[in-house]
Amino acid sequence: MPELAPALHAALADFAAHERVLVALDFDGTMSPLVDRPQDARPLPASAAAFEQLATSPGVYTAVVSGRNLQSLNQAYPEPRPEICIGSHGAERLLPEQLGAHWHDEPLSTKQLQLLKELTGRLEQIAAAHANVTVEHKPSATVLHVRQAAPDTALKALAQAKAALQQLDGVALLEGKAVLEATVHHGDKGQSLQWLREVLDVQAVLFVGDDVTDENGFKVLGTADLGIKVGAGPTVATYSIPSPAELPDLLNILIFMRH
């Protein structure tokens, strides 16, 4: 078995001792290394294989909890994928049939649709004015991507976007790594994890993520839960691993502990 930091290994053992658990992973920067073009992202094969094997362990539920919309996630994450996939920070949920009855997707109101159209137009104007700045469309949000832009261009585009959108009532801004998401859906990954905890009736939740938006997930974790941040940077997660390359080891250790 590969080695983890002793404190993390002990915490993982405590988590694994619970009868019913949820293991939820972010996608970009966690299952997949960060890439310049979102469409080029793929899960590390070792992570995908370990996650698939973990799902066969009795009492273990697995889920991907991503900021991507589900269509984009399906394209970036080849099958087999977990049965539970949360997209767009909770606005979209793909669930097995027995859980689907607990989730009723509410369509956007006329006001929300108008607001989405307005914010999208503003972001598209900003993207068109800056080289290598692009927009991504989601069912309830639009995202400004600046990862491929020159650093000064990226900073300028993000600043202009925040200034253009901050006065729009009903729009929430989610800042991530080289992205700014403007959404009319006000859920987040923390709310999604709490919902899954209740629906699945699990005793503990393990959540692994790397970005600023994953902090909403870490914040809802309790003493029986385990939050692990991927990479450097400030976080409320108790533990961390250096990069997505260490995730397969962590998942394989958990598989070993559950058998």
Side-chain angles (χ1 to χ4, degrees):
M1 280 284 102
E3 293 185 2
L4 292 179
L8 176 53
H9 193 282
L12 200 61
D14 289 341
F15 171 81
H18 290 92
E19 183 178 355
R20 293 168 58 88
V21 298
L22 167 66
V23 179
L25 303 181
D26 173 45
F27 184 76
D28 294 281
T30 300
M31 293 200 74
S32 167
L34 292 175
V35 294
D36 287 340
R37 303 196 315 158
Q39 60 268 38
D40 293 337
R42 295 292 184 275
L44 292 177
S47 290
F51 207 31
E52 181 185 2
Q53 184 178 353
L54 183 62
T56 66
S57 299
V60 177
Y61 294 92
T62 60
V64 175
V65 180
S66 176
R68 283 179 180 257
N69 64 61
L70 289 180
Q71 180 180 358
S72 173
L73 182 63
N74 289 345
Q75 292 170 348
Y77 192 160
E79 293 184 349
R81 289 181 297 273
E83 286 189 299
I84 303 173
C85 290
I86 306 297
S88 300
H89 303 279
E92 299 178 281
R93 305 182 184 186
L94 177 65
L95 307 164
E97 185 176 351
Q98 65 269 29
L99 298 181
H102 297 273
W103 164 249
H104 301 285
D105 190 9
E106 297 182 3
L108 296 181
S109 66
T110 300
K111 181 180 179 180
Q112 286 176 313
L113 288 171
Q114 292 173 341
L115 193 57
L116 180 60
K117 182 179 179 180
E118 174 66 23
L119 71 85
T120 299
R122 295 188 186 190
L123 289 180
E124 287 176 340
Q125 285 184 340
I126 292 169
H130 299 284
N132 297 317
V133 174
T134 60
V135 294
E136 173 193 357
H137 301 282
K138 296 183 179 182
S140 58
T142 300
V143 188
L144 191 75
H145 288 269
V146 300
R147 189 177 304 279
Q148 293 180 276
D152 58 339
T153 300
L155 290 174
K156 185 176 181 180
L158 290 173
Q160 289 180 353
K162 284 186 276 189
L165 300 177
Q166 63 184 359
Q167 300 302 324
L168 287 181
D169 186 34
V171 174
L173 300 182
L174 303 174
E175 295 187 59
K177 295 178 179 177
V179 298
L180 179 70
E181 178 165 338
T183 178
V184 297
H185 168 78
H186 292 179
D188 58 40
K189 293 184 180 183
Q191 293 177 9
S192 297
L193 289 176
Q194 293 290 62
W195 181 82
L196 286 173
R197 182 199 304 275
E198 295 174 8
V199 169
L200 299 174
D201 191 27
V202 294
Q203 298 160 329
V205 175
L206 165 62
F207 178 55
V208 187
D210 76 302
D211 209 345
V212 178
T213 56
D214 295 314
E215 295 299 313
N216 293 320
F218 297 139
K219 288 175 183 176
V220 303
L221 301 180
T223 55
D225 304 322
L226 185 54
I228 302 174
K229 177 178 172 63
V230 180
T235 183
V236 298
T238 309
Y239 301 96
S240 66
I241 56 177
S243 74
E246 286 73 36
L247 182 63
D249 289 348
L250 187 147
L251 295 176
N252 282 318
I253 289 172
L254 184 56
I255 291 168
F256 178 79
M257 290 176 170
R258 291 293 297 189
H259 286 83

